[in-house]
Structure formats: C-alpha cells, structure tokens
Amino acid sequence: MASLELQGLTKKYGDFTAVDHIDLAVRDGEMVALLGGSGCGKTTILNMIAGFIDQYEGSVLVDGKDMKHIPAYKRKMGVFFQNYALFPHMNTFDNVAFGLKMQKLAKSLIQEKVRRILQLVKLTGMEKRFPRELSGGQQQRVALARALVTEPALLLLDEPLSNLDAKLRVEMQIEIKRIHRELGLTTIIVTHDQEEAVSLADRVIVMNAGRIMQAGKPKEVFDRPANLFVGDFMGFSNFIAGQVRRVAGARVSVACSDRELVLDEADGTGLAAGDSVTLAIRPENILPAEKGAENALTGTVRNVTYKGTVTRLEIGDVFAETVFANIHESEDYEIGDAITVAFPSQKLLLYKKEEKRSE
Amino acid sequence: MASLELQGLTKKYGDFTAVDHIDLAVRDGEMVALLGGSGCGKTTILNMIAGFIDQYEGSVLVDGKDMKHIPAYKRKMGVFFQNYALFPHMNTFDNVAFGLKMQKLAKSLIQEKVRRILQLVKLTGMEKRFPRELSGGQQQRVALARALVTEPALLLLDEPLSNLDAKLRVEMQIEIKRIHRELGLTTIIVTHDQEEAVSLADRVIVMNAGRIMQAGKPKEVFDRPANLFVGDFMGFSNFIAGQVRRVAGARVSVACSDRELVLDEADGTGLAAGDSVTLAIRPENILPAEKGAENALTGTVRNVTYKGTVTRLEIGDVFAETVFANIHESEDYEIGDAITVAFPSQKLLLYKKEEKRSE
Amino acid sequence: MSDKRVGWFSTTIATLVFIFLLAPLAVIVLASFSPTPLVVFPPRGFSLQWYMNIFSSSTNFLSGFGNSVEVAVIATAIDVILGVTAALSVSRHPFKGKELLVSFFTSPMYVPSIAFAFVLLQIFSQIGSVPGLVKILLGHLVIIMPYIVRNTLSVLSGFNWTLENAAASLGASPLETFAKVTLPLIKPGVIAGAMLAFLYSFDEAVLSSLLSSPTFVTLPIRIMNYMEFSFDPTLAAISTVLILMSLLLMILLEKLTGLDMFLK
Amino acid sequence: MMTLTKQNKQLLLLALPTVLALTAFFVVPMAYILVDTLKADGTKYFQKFFTDAMYRGILKTTVLVSLQVTAISLLLGYPTAYFMARTRSRMKNILLIVIIFPFLVSAVVRSYGWMVILGGRGLLNQLLMATGLIQQPLTILNTSTAVIIGLVHLLIPYMILSITGVIQNIDPNVERAAYSLNANPLQTFFRVTLPLSAPGIISGCILVFTMSMTSYVTPKLLGGSKFRMMSTMVFQEVNINFNWGFASAISYILLFTILIILLFATYATAGANQRVGGGKRV
Amino acid sequence: ADKAPKDFKGATLVVATWGFTAANVRELSKNFEKTYNCKVVVDETSGNSDRLNKIMAQRKNPEIDVALMTDIFAAIGNKQGVFEKINPKVVTNLKHLYKFAKNGEGYGPCYSVVRYGIIYDAGMVKVPPKSYKDLFSGKYNGQLSLPDMASTAGPYLLVTLAQKAGGSATNVEPGFKLLKANKDHVKQWYLTSSEVQTAFSTGEISVAVFMDMNMPTLKKSGLNVKWVDPKEGDFSAAATINVVKDCKNPELAQLFVNYFLSDAVQNQVADRLNEAPTNKNAKMSAEKQEYLAYGQKAMNSLKKFDWNFINANKAAWIERFQKEVAVQK
Ligand SMILES: Nc1ncnc2c1ncn2[C@@H]1O[C@H](COP(=O)(O)OP(=O)(O)OP(=O)(O)O)[C@@H](O)[C@H]1O
Ligand SMILES: Nc1ncnc2c1ncn2[C@@H]1O[C@H](COP(=O)(O)OP(=O)(O)OP(=O)(O)O)[C@@H](O)[C@H]1O
Ligand SMILES: NCCCCNCCCN
Ligand SMILES: [Mg+2]
Ligand SMILES: [Mg+2]
C-alpha cells in the first residue's frame, strides 16, 4: 500500500546534527525496526516522515512522491507518539474513535471497530475513562489502539510497548505482528528491546548519533553485527583483543592474551598473520565445557549475578579482559571457583583493529 | 536509614478499588521490586507512600511513624515519576540541582554533585538543554538523576528505565544498584522487566488487581511462583493439565493428554493419585533431547520465531495444549518437522486444580 | 507578520485586529500634533503646544500621574497576592461549590463601577475622615481582583500538578514549590492579569472621582476634569506620551531580562 | 466532584484573606446598601423597572449588545490569540504591547478617536466614498454599531490575553496526533485545539461579557443620547435625578442579570472546563 | 470692614469646584489666604452632580466647606438641606450683585453667569436662525445639536419652546409636542459640551443651542462660528457659591463667599473663568463683551426659570423625553 524512501535526510538543531544523511528504503508492507541509543535521532526521523518537522534537508518519499509540501494531515500515516499525546479532553473511546470519525465512518462501524481494538489491547471497560484516570501502561495502550484502529498504510510506532509488563508486551507484539501481516501495513517501529526488534521486524536498522550503522535482516544484525559498535549495542558484551596466528579460508586462529581461539565461518579476506583484531562474543554463547574441548579455557569466577533464567558470571584469568558469561545451568557457582568455558568457534566474531567501538 | 511499612493500604476511585489492603514491610536498606500487570496499582501505591494522595485507607509507616499527617515535602523521599514530571521551565542542570538547592547546599557542592550524577547517567554536555529539547530517553535519565542526586533515605522509582536501550539500561541498573548499596538507601522500584527486578532487588513483590500475589526472594518468585497467576506472569508460558498417577515423596508422576511426565522436588503433600493438577514450565527450560530420555516427548513444529538469542518454537501433538519452547541451539527448525523435547523433571511446577490462573 | 506555523487565516485576522486596535490610537497620536484646539482631519499643520500643556502646573497632570501610578502599583501588588492565592486554592482539586467560589472572587466585575463607587462613598462618609489614597485604593483593590483571578485560573486549568508533587518529593516546601515551580509556569497568565488589573486601575475614573479627596486626585480624574470643558488635543498628547512611555518601558524590560516576560 | 479532603481544606485556607477582603470591602457594603434601599423604598423601584417597557427594553439592549460584543471579540480574538501563541515572529513582543496600548488611553479619548473615524464625514466614510464603495455617507456614529465597535475595541484585549496563555500550554504533540489521524487543520482545530483552549475562552468571554454589561463611557460617547445601556441609567439616576434608590435598584437588577446568565453559561460549559488538564507529560 | 482681618492660622478651607476651573480658583484664592492667614485647598470633583452627591453623602462628616455649583444643582442642595444660608452681615458684597444673582431664600448667590444661545457655523449655514422656533423651520434638519433633557439646559429649552408654542413655565406639553414632532431632524442631543465641539469640528452638525463661553475655543479652531441672541431671549446657567452645612470652617467659608463676590475677584472672573461676573461693579474687556453678558440690559434679558418646579419634574421629563423624543435605537 505504501513504500517509503528517505534520501539524505538530515535535521540540525543549531550546530547539533540530530539526524545525519539517512538513506533508507522501506518496501511496501515491510516492517522495519529502528534501534539505537537514547538520543540517536529515532523520534526525529519519525517526526520528519510524519510531517511534523518542516525544516530539514534531504527528502521523504512515499510511493516515490516527495512529501515536502504535503501537510501532515494528508499523509495518512498512523503515529504512535513516544509520550502518547492522548487527547486529554477525550475519554478512551473518543481518543480511539477520533481517526475513524475523521474518516466519516458510520457510527455503528466506529463502535464495532473501537470495541474490537480495545478488546485487543485489553482495555474493554475503560471506554469512559479519561487519560488522567488511567495508569501509564493503560494510557500507552490507548495510544496504541488509536494508532492502529485506522489501519493506516504507513504506521510509525515510537516505543509503543515500553511501559508494559513482559507478558502483555509479548501479547501486544503478537497483535501488532498479526495486524501488520493481515493488512500489509508498512511499519516503522522504534524499540529499545532487541528481542522485540528481531522478532517483529523484517529488517532491523541500528543507528548511532544520527547515522545508520547497519541495516539488515534481524538474524544478520543480531548474529553478525557489521562493526564493533553494532556488536556492542546488540549485546556482544565480550570484546577480546588478539593477533591473527593463522588464516585458512574461513578458519582463523587468533592469539588472545597468550591463549588461542579458533574461529569458523570468519571472513578471512584481507587478513594476515600478525594482524591486530578484536574478537566479540555474546555472554549467552559462552558455555560451560569440559577441559580440552575446542576453544575451552579455564578461568576463575569473579562475580555471580542471578538474572532469572540465566546466571551471569564474571570470569577472570582467561584473557586480559574479564569475560561475561550468561550460564543456563542451574548449577551453583561461587566466587573463586575455577571454571572452564568454551567459546564456540561459530559464535565468535572477528573485527579488524581500526574499527572503533565506542560512540 | 529508613524502614517502611504499609498496613492494609487501600485506595478506591469511586467503586473501583485500585489498591486493595496491601500489607508490606520494607527493611532499612532493602531494595524491593514491585511487579505486576498494567493498571494493577503500582503507581498508586508509590503515590500514597510519597504523600501525593491523601484520601486512602490503611497506613503508611516510616521508621514506625504514621505518615498520615506528614506532608510530601517533609517526607524526604526521592521519587522518580513514571511520566518524568520534569520542570519544563528549567534546563537539565536546574532540574537535577533542584533538590540540592532545597537543601541549601553550597553552590560549588551542588555543581559538583550535579556534574557527577549527569556523568553517571551519561548526560554530560546536556546541562543547558530544556526538557523539550531532549529525547525521551534523555528526559528519563534527567528525571532519574534528579531523584538520585539528593540521596534520599527512601527512594521510589516508577519504571525508571523503560525508555532506555538494552545496553544503557543495564549500565543504569548497575549504577542504581551501586548507589543503593553504597548509601544503603531503602528503595522501591516498579519495573515491568523481570530480569531487572530479579537482578536488582532483594525482594520481589508480584501484584495483581491491587493485591499482593507473592512476595519473596527473586529466585523464589522466579523459580517457584506461588500460584498459577504469578507463574504465568513470570513467564511460565506452558500450562499443561494433567492427573496425578503416583506420589512418592517429592517424586510425582502426572498423566497429561495420555502421556506421562515425572516431577522431582514437587511438594507432594495432600496430593493423591487421581487429583487434577496443572503443570507449568518455562519455554526456555524445555530442551531438545534424544528420544527415550526422561520426560522426552515427540511432537511437531507448528511455528518458528526467531528471537535473537533463542528461537521460539510452537510444538503441537505433544499434549492437548501447544507447547512453547525457546531453543538455544542454532540448528534450523522448520514447520512440520518432528521434534523431541525434554521437560526437565526439576523444572516442572505443579499446581492443584482449584487455583486460578487468569486475572 | 507572516509565519508558516500559524496559517493564513489566523494571520489575516490577527493583522486586521491589530489594525483595528491601532486605528483610533493613530488618530489620537495625529491629533496631538494639531495646531488648532479642535482637531480637523487631515490636520492643517503641526504643533507641539499641547505637549507643553501637559507640564503646565495649572493642569496638574504630573501629580495626577504620580498618584495614579501609586494607587495602581499598590493595588495590583496586593491583588496579585490575593488573587493568585485565591485562584490556587480552588484549582488543584475539584470540589462542590468551586464555581460558586470563583463567581464570588470575580463578583466585583458584575457591578457597574458607579454603583459600587456610590456604595463606598456612602460607607466611607459614615466612617469619617479616611485619606483619599486609602479610599481609592480599597475601591480599586476590589474592582481589579477579578482580572487577576480569572487570568490565573485559566492558566492553572492546564497545569500539570504532578510537577508540584515532584518538587515536594525533592524537599521543596509549599512556598518554595510555588515560587520555583508553579509560579514560573503560570507566570504568563499572572502577568496578563496583573497587566490588565494595573491598567484598569490606572485608567479608572468613575470610582476614583467619587472617592478622591481634595488632596489626592488621580490622572483619569484630571483628564476627565480637563475634558469637561476643553476638548483640545492636550489629552491626545497625554495619551501619546503614555503610549510612548509604555513602549519604551517594555523594550527596556525585554532588553534587560533578555526574555519576553509574557510569552514564554 | 469530590467532597473536601484535608488537603483541600488546607488549600482553601489560602483563599481566606481574599474572601475576607472581598467580604469586608465589597459584599458587606453592597448588602448594607441593598438592605437600606429595600428598607427605604421597598420594591417600588424594582416594580417600576419591570413594569416599564422602556427599562425592560434597555435591559434587553444591554444583554443583546453585550452578547454581540462577546461573540465578535471571541471570533476576532481567538485567531489573534492563536497567532500570538504560535508565531515565532520577532514581532511577538511588539504585538503584545500593541494589544495593551488601548488601555493606556482613557476610554473617553479612545472614543474620541472613534468619533473621528466613524463620524458622518469621518475617515471611514471619506475612505469609502473616495473608493466609490458608497455614494452617501454611512451613519455609524450614535448607533449601536458604533457602540459595538467601541466596546470590541475596548474589550478584545481581555479576550486575546485570556486565550493566548492557554493555547501556549497545549502540547504540540496532541495536535500532531490529530493530524496523523487524518484530521485536517480545521477538524484538528475544532476537535482538539478549541476544546483544549476552553478555559481561556470561558474566562475571556466572562470578562468581556460582564465588562460590556457594565460599561458606561463607550456607550455614552459613541451611542449618543438615543442609545442607553443599564449603566447609563444608573449614572442618570445618580448624577442627574439624584435618585439613589432607583440607581441601586437598577444596579442590582444588572448584577442579578449577569449572575443568572453566568450561572447558565457555567452550567452549559461545565464539562468543557473540567475535562481539560492533567495527565500529560512535560 | 475697618477692623483688621481675623487670623485663621492653621485653618484649611476646602473649596470644591469643577476640575477645569480649579487652577483659576486656586489663583483667585491667593489673596484670601494672605488676608486670613489660612490655606485654601481646591477639591476638583469634576461635574456638578459628583460634587453634590459627595456633599449629600458626607452630611455627617463634611469634607468640603465651600462648593461652587450651577444654580439648578444648588437648588437641589438647598432643598436637601446640605447648604447653609448666607450671613448678610459677613457677606456684605451681596449688595453689589445684580438682583437675579441673589437667592430669594438666602442661600448661596450666583458669582457668575453664562448664556445659552444659538451658535452656527457660518461656513455651512447660509441663512442663520433668529429664534429657537427657527431651528425647526426645516432648514437645519440633520445639522442640529440640542441639549438632552438630562443635561443642564435641557429643561430650559423645553420650557422656552413650550412658552413659545402656547404653553407656559408650568405647562410644558406644547414644548414636548414640538420636540417630538422634530425628533428626527435633530442630529445630536448632547449631554456635555465637548460632544458639541467635536461634532462641530467633524462637520457632523452646524447649528447648536450652546453656551457663550464655548465661542473662543470654536473660533480658535478656525471654525467660522457666529453667536445669535434668539428672539425668545437667552436662558442662562449661573454658577453659585455655597457654604456646606456643618462644615469644619463655617466662619471662614462665609468670609470666602464674601471675598469671591468682591469687586477685586469679580473683575477677574471674565478673564479667568470665561464667564460673566454678577457684581454690578465688575469690569469686562471688550474682547469678552463680544459674547459674554455684560451690563444691566443684557443681564435683565436673561430668562429666569423656576428651578424648584423644574427639579421637581425633571426626572419625569427625562423619562418622557427618552420615551418620546430620544427614543432608544
Ligand atoms: N483518577 C482515577 N479514576 C479512576 N481510576 C483510576 C484513576 N487513577 C488511576 N485509576 C486506576 O487505578 C488503577 C491503578 O493505577 P496505577 O497507575 O496505580 O497502575 P500501575 O500499576 O502503575 O499501572 P502501569 O504499569 O500501567 O503504570 C488502574 O486500573 C487505573 O485505571
Ligand atoms: N529542540 C531541540 N534542540 C536541540 N536538540 C534537540 C532538540 N530536540 C531533540 N534534540 C536532540 O536531538 C537528538 C535526537 O533526539 P530524538 O528524540 O530523535 O532521539 P531518540 O533517538 O528518539 O532518543 P530516545 O530513544 O531517547 O527517545 C537528541 O540528542 C536530542 O537531545
Ligand atoms: N479600562 C476598561 C474599562 C471597562 C469598563 N467597566 C467595567 C465596570 C466594572 N465594575
Ligand atoms: Mg525518542
Ligand atoms: Mg504506573
């Protein structure tokens, strides 16, 4: 129903560049997740797409048409605002029905649609409440219902589920996904929840300081971050400095603090023995192992944090860097214990030295 | 520095009871996490503790003293508001410095304290920005800094990290934890993030519809939910109806849809063969297994969702109920595949039939 | 005056309204330079004689001006306190009888000044000798109250009361909360009300003329007296001077404070 | 509506000095004289007023003119206030001063300005005849039209200032939300902006209406002797006929008329005022 | 008169007058202050009615000692008992006044007088009116400005017209008929003199029944205005000087009245106040004589009215006037 293209989109506030030459094409019916640190420009991008900011550089094209002179109300985009922006003088029903009334739908149809969407966001019975009489999460769901109920061709959602508990959140994710699929709505969703991003979106965009760092399929971005910044952001909390020992096609071995790790499926192109590299691995990919297994190394437990489904261990004496491992086993670890963990060779990522990691 | 006790705390809005006879004692220096569905009354409880709601039943005691007639400003509680409540006419610095100025601290000291806390929440350089010039997450951090900087004996945090990305969120969690420990602040934190709750808090309170459903150590609540509601809320997404076959101390075997599961460490007291029960297990505790292993059953993959570190499988043909499993292996599953999964006997929880699960 | 943010409709109406507001004033400014005592349009020549008249001791405009400023400043200062506290007291929580109380605070507006002036005149006459300043001041205190209450109420209606909670949680006493949080945010309404009240008092003639004493006369009375007989452009000259003075004052204030005090 | 809570009562204490001041300096004197009037003349003058078609007609004229003045001030004042609240024009401060300019000019002098403009050979007629729009000069001065023009000029600043502050406080995202839901600027205005500015509108209308009801100088000077409003009659009884009793009676009739109309208006707009506010983020 | 004047050291005499005359009254009082070693404070309470209302309201605590006031208003005050009778033993200058200036009942006398007549703009009017009756000849329709019944001169005009049309001072019915018949021809019923001045200057009107004292202002503005003494005679509005009953300085007040009627002060009335003095000995410049009443003959031709009759009927006349003549538009 609608494709979207951003060309060199840029927004400056005085000297400060909030959004910096964003190029992005969103296919009709695609769901794109926008990820990025706080203040990296996500909301600003949505505001420009929706037509709320009129001074910017570059262009926003919908179905190939430049939106520059199309006012917001003619763009027919559904927007969920990060701060909800509920109409304070309208109750839940009227807030949600607003867009439908603008479409001049029949009263009975409006009532039916509102009833259904409120059921979906689990707010049945709250129709008469005003925003100030609702809890934070309830307000958020009213705003979500309001944005979804009109089934806009282009949907912009700015952290729509941030104030919901895990269970409700998953339920809402499923509903958003279902609506998206059934109606083929082109959707951009801003979220700080990576799991949400990868499970909802067809494509994930990771931003930093106004720029796109990586855009790709969820699995790609999640498993193969294009650079150290994205890796760090996507939860590769372990970064280990090393030097290439041997390159044999996709199999590379790297010396890290006088130990050696072997990588499978690494991109060996342009790598030579002696190159300085950084290896990255997720804490949840480090597994307890038997001594002598591939990439199994022994260290000392420095700290143990219970985190529900996993236990987070800080392990020293492996490399110069502390290793963080999220262990699933219910076995009890204690500080000072010796522990052997494996760094699965397919889970290790390799980055050449010059790439920077920090923001 | 401050202990807190709630006795029969109740808040009604007309006919609707938002908070329903809450009894809770928070020890000096304890950090308690308040968990519960959207609209269950968390914010309302904090508002009563802080002294913002003056019509309520029951009492709030701080260090044994009834707060009924103590106005909010004399209670010296640090509050983080779910909707931030930043002062729109003050820039970041002035927002954060407000509490310190009220304490009449020396100017240089105020500057130093603000500088340090802003560094901590990573907002150095934003001192002069007004709230409307900050992104959602930045606003949230200003509000957090404002609540923390005065080092109040009692700290009430209402979803302080909901708008931050995963990485920043963990960093902030660590800072909150550190400040809490170093200063021994008694803290109540509302969060919808279970991992946050269990990794931060000394105790977790799970609420529903204004009441406390379970209060206990994180591990307790997370691993041994007191009832089906808490289990469901804490992520035990699989509920399997069954009938007790045999009880042998802590070892119970249960028939579920013509298959049989064995439980270790179950509380067999009062159970007899033939009793109707419900078994619960987390998706992440269901593991791919060899046929013939204990509690290993074979079914068909119905749906596969990539969720980053795990892959969520919907498995049919095991019980009448669909089984959800979060599988860690990177192996690829496809819809229609046959799959054998084990239900580890120590990870299965058993609930007697009469307990209700839904809200 | 064009601004994309606003739209042509409001811009056009606003432009027309400003022309409408200024038109009679422009006439008055022009008239003040008329060479003849009765102004003819278009004026035949140019003269500053009426401006000299303002300062002549026989018209006594200067002392009247001083007295007017004195009354208006004191009355406005007291009423800002009384009016804002009154508005605050009824705004935060809804309660039965709120509208009634608001009507009470604004009731002096519902009575013609002459009627109230007369009532006061009779009362004061029974009390005995009360200084003119006090009589006029008390009268003005009452009649300008509604403007401050009304304007404060309307900004308070959109006030986010959570902010007061936030301030309280940070240890700000009610007074500090008011001074540092509430007041700065409702300032536009308070200033608007205070401005209207001040100007109302400054311009009030009916009540003042009945309550004035031989030794205390305000500018509007002097103007009225002057006008009773001669309608020469001296009054136009005074008006022009007042307009100019306020313009300078505002520009000065803006330069000094660096921000627009009314419109944030 | 809630019953008074403790906090509420404490807050109400804040109003005590105001209540006392108004009671002492306004209510008590007014009531005292009312009682005096009733004691001296009974309801004689009230009866006179209501049995005489001329006086009833004047009351009707007063109400009608005030309603027209209020409506025009609102229709012109609202867009102006909107402009003031939303423009980033550098002239904003100047415009603000312009709005309060008229107050610096005594109502009498201002009326003089209007006489020059609206007179039979006034500037307006000269302009219209020069442009050929009219052949015969229009009679505007000494008609209700002139009075309405003068009163709007006098009172529209109250409307503008009352509304501007309220519009400024509306969260811009709320209007954006309406746009995103396909509401055109007009719909957004009528369904979102306007209802949210209701407190300012109500306040402005009350100010303008009551001031118009009690106005004296403008109707006298621009309406001439064939145009009379309630205050004209009060002045006449006080200053020409020295009939204080009748003057009081007319004043109280005016006061009660205003109160009744306001009561009615308050009832009609109760919802609008209450719904607004609260629950919003910075 | 031979005795040395009494010393009133420390006394403050409050004299209430029109705002626009305040400066001149202050000026005129200088010698009085010197003579009696007292202070004269001038209270400028704009109109007659404001002054009278103030005095009536302050019966119990008079703030004012001496009040200057138009005759017809003073008559109300006399009737209401707020003024003291004049003591002829102190106010010896009474004897120099024209007869009409003395109050029959012994209340405050007139110290000056202004005439109402017809003023027209010769630039606009070809054939000037000669009498009040001429005003309604049809030639001046739409250009007329007449006093409203609620103004000081309104009832005078009514009575004058009534007498001309077959009525009398006590039968005003014919006057009302005449006004009613011509109501649509009158452009302006004025209440204050400034309205007339403005209307002249904007060309709204060209003929008015107006006061002589306004001539200089109109002339100075370049208007070619002319004065007509109507055939029916001029009617006058005289200014009286009154002592407030139970005032704080009764003795000094009487002395002030006497002082105000003295030749020395009366000689200055025409120049300072632009009104005609009522002391027979008073001199007047030729320039003033052009439009102010001067000399026995002029003074005798001034029409007299029965103020008490007018005052008793004024309210009813106003009401009738508003219902039948200046009908609400
Ligand atoms: N003024 C009010 N009138 C009626 N009901 C109210 C009012 N304020 C809150 N409620 C209701 O009280 C309940 C508790 O609200 P509260 O804000 O405490 O929830 P919460 O647990 O903080 O939820 P969330 O996680 O969504 O923020 C909600 O169901 C809400 O709808
Ligand atoms: N009016 C303004 N003036 C100056 N800087 C601004 C203004 N508005 C936004 N910014 C800055 O622009 C940057 C981008 O803001 P934006 O709201 O798009 O961030 P975001 O990616 O949505 O962040 P978050 O996840 O915290 O909501 C931020 O650093 C913010 O501080
Ligand atoms: N300067 C504004 C004049 C407004 C008119 N009067 C209202 C009467 C109040 N009692
Ligand atoms: Mg954002
Ligand atoms: Mg909440």
Side-chain angles (χ1 to χ4, degrees), chain A residues 141 159 162-163 192 284 309, chain B residues 38 159 162-163 192 284 309:
Chain A
R141 283 176 283 155
E159 309 211 343
S162 62
N163 262 297
H192 53 256
E284 49 271 41
T309 45
Chain B
S38 175
E159 309 211 342
S162 63
N163 262 296
H192 53 255
E284 50 270 40
T309 45

Side-chain angles (χ1 to χ4, degrees), chain D residues 66-82:
Chain D
S66 301
L67 288 176
Q68 289 177 69
V69 168
T70 309
I72 296 170
S73 298
L74 179 60
L75 290 178
L76 295 179
Y78 194 97
T80 311
Y82 188 85

